[in-house]
Amino acid sequence: GSIMSLASYICMERQIPEQYLNLDEEDETVPLYIGPCFADEDCLYEVKTKHFHKWYVYEISSHWGIEIVEPFDSEIALESKEKLRYLFTLMSDFLDEGESFELYTCWIGEESDPQVKSMTLSLALDQLEDIEIPERTHILITKQSEN
């Protein structure tokens, strides 16, 4: 059988501006880029129709999906938190106040499986301190107004 891979997907109302896509795909110092890695069109379609409520879906690629579960000091948890920080920073660059995006992580081929957990976050980095994100968690992330 094939090696199973954990993939993370994001979804939003409009297309992500071109300059944010496949950013430094080859750059090992960047924790993730927005663009294809493990998933094919079928995976994107499945996850979009089953879990997402917005139109444009993208895979975020980082050699491994975003998953934060105990032990929280494990390499995967720590790297996932770093990826989340990077993603939040990237998204707040071009999202307008009140806009949101969705995030979902699952094993390739399990896009149709039911969600385990659902949560809502604001795009503030301090939200990421004590967060727990098992696989198959649907997260709605909104950019709050500054005031």
Side-chain angles (χ1 to χ4, degrees), residues 100-117:
S100 61
F101 72 100
E102 299 171 70
L103 171 66
Y104 192 75
T105 297
C106 64
W107 295 93
I108 293 283
E110 294 185 357
E111 282 79 12
S112 301
D113 289 9
Q115 290 171 20
V116 167
K117 185 175 173 181

Side-chain angles (χ1 to χ4, degrees), residues 17-77:
E18 195 64 39
Q19 72 261 32
Y20 292 95
L21 298 177
N22 302 333
L23 263 187
D24 302 323
E25 200 174 324
E26 302 303 314
D27 184 350
E28 289 296 311
T29 64
V30 178
L32 60 80
Y33 64 92
I34 301 170
C37 179
F38 302 129
D40 59 20
E41 288 301 312
D42 289 345
C43 300
L44 293 173
Y45 178 79
E46 283 294 320
V47 82
K48 175 173 150 178
T49 51
K50 179 80 180 174
H51 303 293
F52 285 146
H53 307 90
K54 302 183 191 314
W55 192 250
Y56 294 100
V57 60
Y58 301 87
E59 184 182 5
I60 52 175
S61 304
S62 57
H63 305 299
W64 203 252
I66 291 174
E67 181 184 28
I68 305 175
V69 291
E70 292 183 2
F72 295 114
D73 60 351
S74 74
E75 198 174 340
I76 288 182

Side-chain angles (χ1 to χ4, degrees), residues 14 25 50 81 127 137:
R14 56 187 170 101
E25 200 174 324
K50 179 80 180 174
K81 200 169 274 198
Q127 297 254 292
T137 299

